[in-house]
Every structure is written in C-alpha cells, then in structure tokens.
C-alpha cells in the first residue's frame, strides 16, 4: 500500500487506486499522515482543516470524516491481505499508525536526511538525493485548501530546493557535470530566484567547456533578479561570472553549508539525587552498560526504556544513576518531567519539551524556528558531536518521546514510564529495563537507611509487617519511614498497628496492584498531619501544576507567607511533597490524585472555588507586577483587587521579574486553562495579557497564540467590546510574530471595529500601528504610512503621549522608505523631542536610528553617523542587542558611502558578532559584504534589514 501526497492525493492498495474522498476529507487524512506517528488533537485537526472559520458543527463533521477514513483503511487492509495503516484514538488525540516509507512525503524527508549526512560517501548521498528528487510528482497537497496545507507546501518546496542544491554539489564533486546540466534548467524554471541552483548550473557548464552559455545564463539570472527583487546577483554568482570572463579553470564547488554555529550553554538540569538510596544493584549495572555502549566502536545513540508500576522507584533509580555518571557527560545533562500520567490530564507535548531544552542550551529566542520539525532539527544539531545525558521522565507513550531523542552518537537517553514502551524498543533499538518490586531484603535496607539500623534490628516483626502492608512499594515505604524518622520515640510496632488499622478502613479500595495499595499508606500518613498541613495538602491537589512556589501555596491556602512555610516543611518531611529546587514544591502524581480526591470529598465546593480564586488572583497580580517591571511603558489594564488572604509577589528589578516568569511559565499556561474551564473569564484574558511580553521576548510564539485564543474565547463570553478589541489586538500581535500576516490583519480589523464601538481610542490607535507593521512587512509603505497617520491622530485625541511619539517616528520611518527623506526628518525630530521629554530611552534609540537612516539618504553622512552613535548608546544601555546589530549594520553602510572603509569594517564586524547569536542569515549577509569590501570598496545603497521589520514589535 502506498499513499501519495505529492500532486493529487492518491491511495493505492494491491495496485488498485482507492477513492480518498472530497477535499475536506483529504485534508483530515493529510493532517494525520503528515504528523504520523504523533497524535493530533481534535482542536488541531479543526484548526488545520477549517483555519479560523470552522462551522458550528465542525466536531460532528470531523468525526464523520474520521469514520470514513477508518473505512477507507479497512478496505486497503482487505485488498492487501496484510497489515495496513490504522487510525487509533489516544489520550492526546488521533494517531495514524503507518509505515513512513509507504508515504512519499515521509520517504522524501528520510532520503533528504540521508543526503545531508556528511559522514556518508558522496556516491551514497547522491543516490539518496536523486531518489528523493524523483519522488516529486507535483506540489504537495495540491487539492487541499487552507493555511496549514500552504505551510506544508512552502516547507516542502524549500526542502526540494535544498535537496537539489546538495545533489548538484555532490555530483559536481563526483565529476558528473552532465547530470547536473540535465536536471537543473527545469528546476530553475520552477524556482527562478534560487541563486544557488543557478550558480551550480554555471559551474557545470564551465566544467564542460560551455562558457559562452554560462555567461548568457548569468545575464538572464541578473535580469530576473533585477525585475523581481530590484537587486543584483549575490557574491557567489558574481564571483563565478568574473571567473568565466577571466577564463579561469573550473573549480570544485565549496562544501555543503554546515549547520548554524550557535554558542550554547552546558545545561545541568538533573533534580537532586535521593538521599539514602539503596538496592537496585542489578538495574544500576544494566544502566552502566549504556555508557560503555555509547562510547564503544559502534558510536550509536543509546536509549534505555525503564518501565514499572507507579511509585515503584523508576524516577529515583534513573536520577540516582544519572548523578553517578553525570561527570562522563561533559556537554551537560537534560531533564524533563513529561507528566504522562498527571491527574490533571495535561502531559507535556513535544513542542514544550524541545523548547525547554533549547532554552536550557540558552539558544537566543530569535534563532528558534516556529515549527516542531524545525525545532527538533535545531535541537538535534546542537547535540551532534556532543556528549549529553537525557532523562525523559514519566512518559505516556513512545510518540511523546520520539521527537526528544537525540540523533548524535555518544548521547544517552533514559526514558521512564509506567507503560512498557514496546514501540520505542522496536523502533529505536531502546534497551528495555523493567523495575520490579524490591525484595524483602532490599525493602528492609531502605527502612534501615531512613530510620536507622538499630530500630530495624530491634523490631524485626514490625518491620516485616510494615513491608507487607506497604506491598514493598518504595514510595509507600519512604512515606512510612519519614513518619518513623520524625517520631523517634514511636516504636515501629505502633506504626505498623496504625498502618494496619488504616488498611482495614480502606479494604474496598485496595487491590492486587501495589500502586492501588499505596492509597492505604497515603491515608494513614495524611491522617497524621496537623489540620493546617492536611488542608494545604488537599488544596494543592487543586493546583493546575506542574509545581508551585511557596508564595503561591500561601495564597492558595489564604495564609501569610511566613505561616505557610512551616506547613510546607511538614508536608515535605512526611514525603507527601518534595522540594526539587529551593522554594518550589511538587508531588508524585499518585499523591496529586489522592490530594484532589480528598479535597473533593472533604471541602465544600464553595471553599474549593474560593481557593482556586485566591490562586488565580495570586498569579494575576504577581504577573501584572512583573510585566510592568519588564515593560514600564506598557498601557496597564484595570485589575480587581486581590481577595482576602492573597499575597502577590513583588520584584525589585528586571532580572527578578524575568526569572519569575521563566520559573512560572508552565504554571501560568496551566492557570489560564484552569481559569477558562472554571469560568473565571476575566482572569483568563488578563492572565494572557500579562504573559504577552514574556512570551514575545522569549520567542514562545506557539504558546502566545494558544493563550490568546483561549483569552479570546473568554472575552467573547464576557461580551465587552473594549475587552474583545484588546484581545483581538494581542492575538493579531501573536500571529504577526509567527509571520501569519493575513490572520494578523483579520484580527486587527476586528479590533478596530470593536474599539470604535467601545470608544477606546488607545486600542484603536495601537491596532493601526500593528496594521502599519503588517503592510511594512509586505513592503507596501504607502498603506503603512496611512495607518501610522491614523494612529498618531487617535493617540493625540486620547492624550497618549508615548503613543504619539512612537507614531510620529513611524510616520517618519515610512516617509523615508517612500523616498521623502526631508519630511521623514521633520517627523522623527518631533518624535525624538517627545521621547526625550518622556524619558523613553528605547523610543529615543529607535528614533535616532530613523534619523540616521534619513540623513544617510540625504547625503548628510556626518549627521547620520552622529544619530546612529546616539542610537547605539541607548540600545547598549538597555542591553537591546537586536536593535544594536541593526543600527551597526546601517552605520557601516554610511561609513562605506562616506569613504571610510576601515570604520565600515569595524561596525560590520561588531554587528556580525551579535548576529551570530540572533540572526544567522543577516550575519552571513554581512560576512559576504565584508569579503566584497576586501576586493572592491565602492558605496552601495543601504537596504532595509530583516531586523528593520521587527522594530515595531519592540515599541
């Protein structure tokens, strides 16, 4: 059976074509196939199939399509008389189980990956890339409408061009220019602006002595680029042209461009080792073999899949072993709790985990791509050539883990799960390791280490009773040991009696599964708590997770922070909570489920809702304080006063505020979902509002879109035009950062309508500012100027002075791009005076940069240099490296035009040093200019950089 996505979608089984249905059904099948074997949530399917306008009955229609797809796969199975793809419903969504090599798109990707492998022989790489190119039978998903399908088409066209360039380079190195000449002209006809293809064709023609034809092709390429882009060919094409004119001999093409070089940190994410670890010698020896395998002659990635029942000590084993061998992994250790069995039902999705790892390596947000595949590619590139240990804890299934696995030899990944990860073992060669219950002797050693060998020796029968009543489960034994250690005067026989009494009260809940029997120990230990600790334990079960800080726990319980700390300490001593990092608490998901169960059975609903209200108040007011520290000029929103018993956090400076957002990132996302599901609609949209600055600056584009969409649903329920306008505006801003300009424009137009209804001049003005940015990105500067003028008028009517100053600069900036540089100076000078009066240093820097740009184009080079230097002073004071690099780039252009090539080199070298961390394409562009400068020093027209298009986002 084969499924074709290139061109018209086709499904063939036993040589027969099968009807794949109407375009909508094809779209559903395509989403499942492209993401296979990852689960696809219902909401994701709806978004990708219907974009932003799903019908009211979208779910029912979707279920009908899924039913017909199952029938289609069933017919394929009958025809094949063998195993065929199947559609499965999982906790995280729908999964299509299909052999990737049966899908042309996946086979294409695999072959291109083989062609990228520089360790393979050139002949093997050429064969793989040629096979990949032969699979192309037309644009992918050709008959499927919608933005998602368009994005897939765009990415596959880019991948096709990359494959063609790599293939041609390899063939030329192999001495096969005729093969290149036979293929590239047709590809260039499809992609006339892809200069590397033209350059390789010129090399092939030159290698076969067809120099005149090559010179003619260069002239054609130059005309195309001038007509389409208004630019000359790049440095490689120009160098080849000069080589042809001089009659120089053919040269071997340069090697394939390597992966981007990113300066990365050495992560050390392992939680603390467990004190008093004992036993598990056989399992530790088995894990030790992994390190030997990772450094052996095979040089492979080594993966261990540790499985076992809940509470049996999988995480404890993995972390203890990881600490034992951490020193052998010089490039760092990564850890993530995937929360596969979290009772709140919110496991970590691969996108979150990969992004967390990229943050651990301190990859600048500007260098992190948007899509999961691209992020995984960057993550694996970082691991290549490095020795890193990964602990992937508490996985639900193999699909959750696969994107997180390294592709680099010498790395070791240890995965823990309650499930046997058979798919991981079969698909990746993982080493399975099932953790069994400890022996009676090992259980006795655990107790001896925790309570002291003398007590264990003195009361052997009580010890045996405790071991039996705990079903030898390490989690349960640890809790009992904690109580014994905290009460040295208690005989173990007393504790065993109490435990037996608790078990008799819970007989109906116990079973053969040791994890179920752990409920007895939980109940017994819970009933030993003080009333304050028992109440806090229950309330923490209502927290959305994955962890919480001490101040949040205090607000949850309505306690002063000082009163909450001893209660948290009591829960920690009882092993009902753990403190993996100072001041942050979590607990085992079995305990979380038990705590929630106790809260629902003990505390009235109004008290539980009041606790959740206090918690959301805590996060909202803390986040609001933090965001105004990060962005003091941001227009505030009006919050209701925090309820009684809520103590929001305070932040002394920018660093503290950013650290708080970083630590609470996952918690705040979960809190927004909890607020939405619990009907706290005002908290929902206001929490999303507070998160926008952090998510934007850290590059969490996907999270920002997700929270703003939840916020929009809440705002629609509130039916307040001003609120809806503001949320539409922020959702548009999130879409803009993802490059989804049509979506951004649609929501901005809606924001304008609603703001006008509400009489909110400020939101209306900001929406015009964003619309100007959308048109600027499309290089429609007249439209951008029109919106900037509207914004200035509205800001003035509202008396919003910071907005007025920024809008004046925007008007000047767009006049400059329309060629009216004198008028640009007039507006930008007014803007600068207002920014100086307001003390807005970022606004001053951006406006000085605009003034420098206008003076440059008027030939006032000395004035341009002065303004650029003033801008640099502001940006360096603020630590804004992105703006600094953009201004350095333009400063270099001005120095060059003024004839000072040494100063131009200096400015560009400083810019390259910054852009290597922020924007590799811009860094490479400047390197090429520096190389040209070494050959010929002539003034060139200053062009807008990619960073120019991001400037408005910083205002």
């Amino acid at each position: 059976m084969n499924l074709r996505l290139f061109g018209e979608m086709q499904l063939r089984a036993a040589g027969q074509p099968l009807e794949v249905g109407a375009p909508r059904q094809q779209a559903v099948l395509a989403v499942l196939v492209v993401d296979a074997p990852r689960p696809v949530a219902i909401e994701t399917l709806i978004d990708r199939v219907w974009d932003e306008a799903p019908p009211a009955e979208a779910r029912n229609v979707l279920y009908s399509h899924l039913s017909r797809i199952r029938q289609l796969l069933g017919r394929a199975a009958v025809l094949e008389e063998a195993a065929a793809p199947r559609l499965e419903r999982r906790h995280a969504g729908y999964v299509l189980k299909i052999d990737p090599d049966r899908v042309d798109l996946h086979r294409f990707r695999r072959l291109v990956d083989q062609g990228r492998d520089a360790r393979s022989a050139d002949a093997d790489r050429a064969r793989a890339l040629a096979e990949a190119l032969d699979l192309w039978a037309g644009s992918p998903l050709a008959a499927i409408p919608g933005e998602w399908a368009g994005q897939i088409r765009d990415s596959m066209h880019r991948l096709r061009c990359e494959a063609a360039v790599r293939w041609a380079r390899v063939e030329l190195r192999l001495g096969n220019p005729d093969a290149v000449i036979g293929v590239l002209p047709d590809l260039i006809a499809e992609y006339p602006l892809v200069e590397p293809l033209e350059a390789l064709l010129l090399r092939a023609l030159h290698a076969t002595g067809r120099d005149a034809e090559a010179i003619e092709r260069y002239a054609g390429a130059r005309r195309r680029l001038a007509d389409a882009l208004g630019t000359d060919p790049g440095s490689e094409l120009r160098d080849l042209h000069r080589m042809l004119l001089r009659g120089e001999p053919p040269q071997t093409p340069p090697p394939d461009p390597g992966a981007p070089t990113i300066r990365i940190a050495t992560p050390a994410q392992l939680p603390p080792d467990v004190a008093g670890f004992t036993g598990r010698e056989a399992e530790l020896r088995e894990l030790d073999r992994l390190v030997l395998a990772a450094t052996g002659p095979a040089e492979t990635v080594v993966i261990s899949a540790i499985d076992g029942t809940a509470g049996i000590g999988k995480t404890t084993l993995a972390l203890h072993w990881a600490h034992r061998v951490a020193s052998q992994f010089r490039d760092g250790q990564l850890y993530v709790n995937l929360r596969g069995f979290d009772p709140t039902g919110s496991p970590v999705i691969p996108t979150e985990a990969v992004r967390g790892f990229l943050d651990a390596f301190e990859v600048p947000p500007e260098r992190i791509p948007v899509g999961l595949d691209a992020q995984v590619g960057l993550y694996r590139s970082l691991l290549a050539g490095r020795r890193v240990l990964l602990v992937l804890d508490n996985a639900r299934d193999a699909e959750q883990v696969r994107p997180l696995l390294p592709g680099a030899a010498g790395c070791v990944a240890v995965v823990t799960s309650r499930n046997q990860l058979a798919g991981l073992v079969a698909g990746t060669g993982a080493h399975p390791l099932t953790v069994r219950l400890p022996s009676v002797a090992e259980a006795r050693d655990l107790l001896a280490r925790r309570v002291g060998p003398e007590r264990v020796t003195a009361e052997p029968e009580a010890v045996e009773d405790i071991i039996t009543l705990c079903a030898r489960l390490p989690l349960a034994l640890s809790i009992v040991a904690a109580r014994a250690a905290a009460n040295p005067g208690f005989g173990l026989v007393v504790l065993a009696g109490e435990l037996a009494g608790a078990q008799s009260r819970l007989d109906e809940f116990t079973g053969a599964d040791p994890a179920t029997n752990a409920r007895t120990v939980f109940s017994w230990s819970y009933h030993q708590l003080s009333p304050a600790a028992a109440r806090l334990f229950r309330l923490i079960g209502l927290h959305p997770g994955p962890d919480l800080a001490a101040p949040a726990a205090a607000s949850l319980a309505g306690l002063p922070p000082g009163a909450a700390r001893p209660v948290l300490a009591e829960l920690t001593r009882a092993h009902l909570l753990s403190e993996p990092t100072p001041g942050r608490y979590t607990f085992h998901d079995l305990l979380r489920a038990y705590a929630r169960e106790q809260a629902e059975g003990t505390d009235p609903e109004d008290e539980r809702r009041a606790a959740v209200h206090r918690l959301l108040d805590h996060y909202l007011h803390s986040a609001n304080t933090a965001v105004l520290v990060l962005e003091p000029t941001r227009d505030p929103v009006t919050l209701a006063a925090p309820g009684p018993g809520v103590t929001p956090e305070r932040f002394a400076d920018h660093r503290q505020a950013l650290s708080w957002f970083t630590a609470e990132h996952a918690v705040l996302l979960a809190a927004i979902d909890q607020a939405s599901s619990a009907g706290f609609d005002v908290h929902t949209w206001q929490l999303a509002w507070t998160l926008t600055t952090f998510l934007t600056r850290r590059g969490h584009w996907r999270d920002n879109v997700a929270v703003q969409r939840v916020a929009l649903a809440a705002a629609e329920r509130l039916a307040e035009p001003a609120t809806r306008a503001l949320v539409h505006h922020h959702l548009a801003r999130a879409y803009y950062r993802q490059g989804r300009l049509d979506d951004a424009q649609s929501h901005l137009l809606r924001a304008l309508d609603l703001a006008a209804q509400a009489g909110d001049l400020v939101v209306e003005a900001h929406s015009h500012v964003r619309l100007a940015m959308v048109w600027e990105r499309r290089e429609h500067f007249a439209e951008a100027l029109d919106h900037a003028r509207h914004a200035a008028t509205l800001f003035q009517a509202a008396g919003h002075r910071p907005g007025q100053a920024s809008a004046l600069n925007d008007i000047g900036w767009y006049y400059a791009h329309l060629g009216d540089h004198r008028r640009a100076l007039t507006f930008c000078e007014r803007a600068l005076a207002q920014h100086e009066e307001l003390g807005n240093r970022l606004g001053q820097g951006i406006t000085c940069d605009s003034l420098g740009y206008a003076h440059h184009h008027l030939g006032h080079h000395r004035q341009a240099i002065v303004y650029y230097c003033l801008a640099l002073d502001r940006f360096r004071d603020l630590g804004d490296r992105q703006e600094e690099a953009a201004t350095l780039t333009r400063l270099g252009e001005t120095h060059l035009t003024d004839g000072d090539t040494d100063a131009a080199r200096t400015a560009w070298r400083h810019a390259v040093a910054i852009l290597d961390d922020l924007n590799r394409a811009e860094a490479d562009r400047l390197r090429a200019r520096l190389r040209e400068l070494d050959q010929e020093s002539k003034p060139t027209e200053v062009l807008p950089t990619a960073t120019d298009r991001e400037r408005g986002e910083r205002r």
Side-chain angles (χ1 to χ4, degrees):
M1 194 219 77
N2 288 286
L3 184 60
R4 193 168 82 183
L5 299 183
F6 288 128
E8 182 182 350
M9 181 183 282
Q10 291 186 10
L11 174 64
R12 301 183 70 87
Q16 298 184 31
L18 299 178
E19 177 58 49
V20 290
R24 288 282 188 221
Q25 182 171 314
Q26 291 183 36
V28 176
L29 179 57
V31 173
L32 295 167
V33 171
V34 170
D35 273 25
R38 298 189 299 271
V40 185
I42 289 289
E43 291 76 11
T44 302
L45 280 164
I46 291 172
D47 285 349
R48 292 181 179 178
V49 173
W50 283 282
D51 289 334
E52 294 297 317
E57 68 281 4
R59 281 180 177 264
N60 292 333
V61 175
L62 181 62
Y63 291 141
S64 297
H65 288 316
L66 292 167
S67 176
R68 286 193 287 271
I69 289 170
R70 279 202 178 95
Q71 295 170 16
L72 173 64
L73 298 176
R75 289 197 297 276
V78 171
L79 289 171
E80 289 279 313
E81 296 183 352
R86 64 186 186 278
L87 185 60
E88 297 179 357
R89 182 71 168 95
R90 297 282 183 83
H91 175 79
Y94 284 88
V95 177
L96 184 65
K97 306 293 288 186
I98 189 170
D99 179 358
D101 265 1
R102 301 242 181 184
V103 181
D104 56 357
L105 185 144
H106 288 308
R107 196 157 65 250
F108 178 83
R109 285 173 168 165
R110 176 179 62 77
L111 290 165
V112 173
D113 282 342
Q114 290 180 14
R116 288 170 171 155
D117 189 353
R119 296 170 298 182
S120 299
D122 278 351
D124 293 336
R125 296 177 65 198
R127 278 193 295 272
L129 291 165
E131 186 180 345
L133 293 171
D134 286 344
L135 287 171
W136 193 276
S139 191
L141 314 180
I144 299 177
E147 181 183 349
W148 172 80
Q151 290 173 350
I152 295 296
R153 280 191 287 274
D154 290 346
S155 68
M156 296 308 295
H157 278 290
R158 288 193 296 271
L159 193 58
R160 185 192 186 197
C161 289
E162 178 197 328
V165 168
R166 290 182 184 277
W167 169 81
R169 286 179 184 275
V170 175
E171 288 289 6
L172 288 176
R173 284 204 298 273
L174 291 170
N176 300 325
D178 289 329
V180 176
I181 294 170
V183 171
L184 289 197
D186 290 340
L187 278 169
I188 291 170
E190 290 187 62
Y191 307 104
L193 303 180
V194 179
E195 292 187 52
L197 290 174
E198 193 72 65
L200 289 162
L201 180 55
L202 263 60
R203 290 183 186 278
L205 291 168
H206 186 38
T208 57
R210 297 158 65 174
D211 289 7
E213 187 177 345
I215 292 171
E216 185 178 345
R217 284 208 66 96
Y218 174 82
R222 183 176 183 178
R223 284 194 298 272
R224 287 196 307 274
L225 290 167
D227 292 344
L229 305 176
T231 63
D232 287 331
S235 59
E236 184 181 7
L237 271 177
R238 294 201 305 274
D239 290 346
L240 284 169
H241 185 232
R242 282 193 290 268
M243 183 179 68
L244 289 164
L245 293 176
R246 295 168 184 162
E248 296 176 6
Q251 298 177 355
T252 302
D256 293 344
T261 301
I262 298 177
R263 301 187 188 102
I264 65 172
T266 301
Q269 290 191 315
L270 295 179
D273 196 0
V274 178
F277 184 91
T278 186
R280 303 297 190 195
E281 294 301 327
E283 291 89 344
L284 290 169
R285 284 194 298 272
E286 182 64 26
L287 289 168
D288 284 339
R289 293 193 190 100
L290 299 181
V291 179
L292 296 175
T295 56
E299 286 280 307
T300 58
V301 178
V302 178
I303 304 160
S304 177
I306 302 176
D307 65 86
T309 191
I312 205 164
K314 302 179 296 296
T315 298
T316 301
L317 170 65
L319 289 178
H320 178 71
W321 175 79
H323 279 282
R324 288 203 336 177
V325 300
S327 61
Q328 300 181 50
F329 293 88
R330 62 183 180 277
D331 297 309
Q333 308 87 41
L334 296 171
Y335 172 85
V336 62
N337 179 1
L338 295 170
R339 305 200 305 273
F341 300 89
D342 192 301
T344 64
S346 55
V348 174
I349 61 175
T351 304
E352 294 176 33
V354 170
R355 179 55 203 263
F357 289 160
L358 293 176
D359 286 344
F361 281 122
E362 296 182 8
V363 178
E366 296 84 355
R367 299 293 302 273
I368 297 175
V370 174
L372 174 61
D373 289 343
Q375 289 183 359
V376 170
L378 174 58
Y379 158 63
R380 288 178 174 157
S381 296
L382 294 178
L383 292 179
R386 294 184 169 89
R387 257 179 85 64
V388 176
L389 174 64
L390 297 92
V391 179
L392 310 177
D393 192 21
N394 200 14
R396 174 169 288 277
D397 51 31
E399 284 73 15
Q400 190 185 20
V401 169
R402 280 197 181 93
L404 311 180
L405 297 177
C411 290
V412 171
V414 177
V415 185
T416 74
S417 178
R418 293 185 199 173
N419 292 329
Q420 291 185 338
L421 300 175
L424 206 62
V425 174
T428 67
H431 301 259
L433 177 61
T434 298
V435 179
R436 311 290 182 188
L437 286 170
S439 66
V440 172
E442 288 176 321
R444 189 182 301 110
D445 286 343
L446 186 155
L447 287 172
R449 280 181 174 266
R450 303 290 176 87
V451 305
E454 299 82 5
R455 295 177 72 182
V456 169
T457 303
E459 299 182 82
E461 292 182 2
V463 168
E464 298 302 317
D465 289 342
I466 289 172
I467 291 171
T468 300
L469 291 166
C470 289
R472 306 204 313 272
L473 195 69
L475 175 63
L477 287 166
S478 297
I479 292 173
V480 175
R483 174 147 168 78
N487 296 278
F490 286 16
L492 295 183
V493 67
V494 175
L495 297 178
E498 290 181 350
L499 187 55
Q503 185 180 43
S504 67
R505 293 193 298 272
L506 291 168
D507 282 341
E508 65 272 23
F509 295 112
T510 61
D513 184 353
T516 305
N517 283 337
R519 185 190 303 252
T520 300
V521 180
F522 299 163
S523 170
W524 171 77
S525 189
Y526 165 71
H527 287 297
Q528 313 303 318
L529 296 171
S530 67
R535 176 174 176 267
L536 181 57
F537 176 75
R538 296 194 304 271
L539 293 180
I540 294 176
L542 305 176
H543 186 274
D547 59 2
L548 83 165
S555 291
L556 176 66
L559 295 172
R565 292 190 188 96
V567 183
L568 288 165
E570 180 181 348
L571 291 171
T572 305
R573 287 193 301 271
H575 275 230
L576 294 176
L577 280 185
S578 60
E579 191 178 7
T581 58
R584 297 197 72 83
Y585 299 86
T586 187
F587 47 16
H588 193 284
D589 49 20
L590 285 178
L591 282 163
R592 182 186 292 275
Y594 179 77
R596 180 183 290 270
E597 179 183 279
Q598 291 303 306
E600 292 172 350
T602 304
D603 301 311
E605 182 178 355
D606 59 340
E607 291 186 15
R608 300 199 306 273
R609 186 170 179 83
V612 171
H613 196 160
R614 288 193 299 271
L615 182 72
L616 295 174
D617 273 357
H618 173 87
Y619 285 128
L620 176 58
H621 285 270
S622 298
N624 184 61
T625 301
V627 74
L628 293 177
V629 171
L630 291 183
E631 192 177 2
T633 59
R634 188 175 185 186
D635 295 325
V637 296
T638 301
L639 307 184
V646 177
T647 309
E649 297 190 56
R650 296 288 180 261
F651 309 98
D653 54 29
H654 182 281
R655 181 189 59 79
Q656 282 189 7
L658 186 60
S659 296
W660 184 84
F661 269 122
T662 302
E664 301 289 357
H665 175 196
V667 178
L668 291 170
L669 296 180
I672 289 171
D673 286 339
Q674 182 180 38
S676 176
S677 62
F680 291 97
D681 288 332
V682 173
H683 287 80
T684 301
W685 78 260
Q686 290 185 341
L687 274 168
W689 179 89
T690 65
L691 263 178
T692 297
T693 296
F694 170 76
L695 295 176
T696 298
R697 292 189 182 179
R698 295 300 301 163
H700 295 288
W701 320 128
R702 186 187 298 267
D703 285 348
N704 201 13
V705 169
V707 300
Q708 296 305 331
R709 289 175 65 174
V710 174
L712 182 58
E716 296 290 353
R717 289 192 292 270
L718 291 169
E720 298 169 354
T723 297
R724 293 161 65 200
L726 183 60
V727 178
H728 274 289
H729 171 265
H730 282 294
L731 179 55
R733 179 179 180 181
Y735 279 135
Y736 173 86
R737 294 300 304 210
Q738 282 192 318
R740 296 170 61 173
L741 300 184
D742 290 343
D743 288 328
Q745 182 173 356
S746 173
H747 284 282
L748 286 169
L749 293 174
R750 185 67 179 134
L752 283 177
D753 290 343
L754 290 164
Q757 289 178 34
D760 193 328
L761 299 179
V762 173
V763 172
E764 193 175 352
H766 280 305
S767 298
H768 278 294
V769 169
R770 300 290 167 193
L771 280 165
M773 291 161 54
V774 169
W775 286 112
E776 180 188 359
R777 181 76 69 89
R778 292 170 172 156
E779 299 187 359
H780 289 201
F781 296 109
E783 289 86 348
L785 175 60
D786 187 49
H787 284 290
R789 286 169 168 160
H790 279 298
T793 301
L794 291 165
F795 279 131
Q796 184 173 9
H800 192 285
R801 297 185 64 208
Q804 290 178 56
S806 293
L808 287 171
N809 176 66
D810 290 348
I811 292 170
W813 178 250
Y814 297 135
Y815 269 129
H817 281 75
L818 287 167
D820 193 342
H821 303 295
R822 292 196 179 278
R823 189 172 292 182
L825 287 180
T826 300
F827 281 94
C828 290
E829 286 167 353
R830 288 172 57 195
L832 181 59
Q834 292 189 24
H835 279 308
E836 288 175 341
E837 187 178 343
L838 293 167
N840 184 348
R841 292 185 66 76
L842 179 59
Q844 293 169 32
I846 290 173
T847 307
C848 285
D849 178 89
S850 299
L851 286 163
Y853 185 87
H855 276 297
H856 170 96
H857 284 81
L858 287 167
H860 307 158
H861 300 139
R862 293 292 93 195
Q863 292 98 315
I865 291 168
V866 168
Y867 277 114
Y868 282 144
C869 290
L870 289 171
L872 289 173
D873 287 343
R874 305 305 191 273
F875 296 146
R876 286 166 179 160
D877 285 348
L878 296 167
D880 196 325
R881 302 177 73 224
Q882 180 172 301
E883 294 290 356
E884 181 184 353
T887 299
L888 283 167
T889 300
R890 285 187 282 276
L891 176 62
E893 298 280 5
T894 302
H895 280 309
L896 184 59
T897 306
D898 199 40
D900 192 343
T901 54
D902 289 338
R905 285 191 187 93
T906 300
W908 284 349
R909 284 170 182 154
H910 283 308
V912 166
I914 297 170
L915 290 169
D916 272 335
D917 284 340
L918 302 181
N919 188 323
R920 179 60 182 261
E922 282 292 298
D924 289 344
R925 172 184 177 274
L926 273 187
R927 283 194 186 90
R929 297 295 308 279
L930 284 165
R931 287 194 295 269
E932 291 174 22
L933 201 56
D934 291 335
Q935 298 173 3
E936 49 182 315
S937 297
K938 68 176 185 179
T940 56
E941 176 70 10
V942 60
L943 298 173
T945 67
T947 312
D948 290 339
R949 305 189 189 105
E950 305 299 328
R951 286 180 28 171
E953 192 61 36
R954 308 302 297 264
R955 289 194 289 269

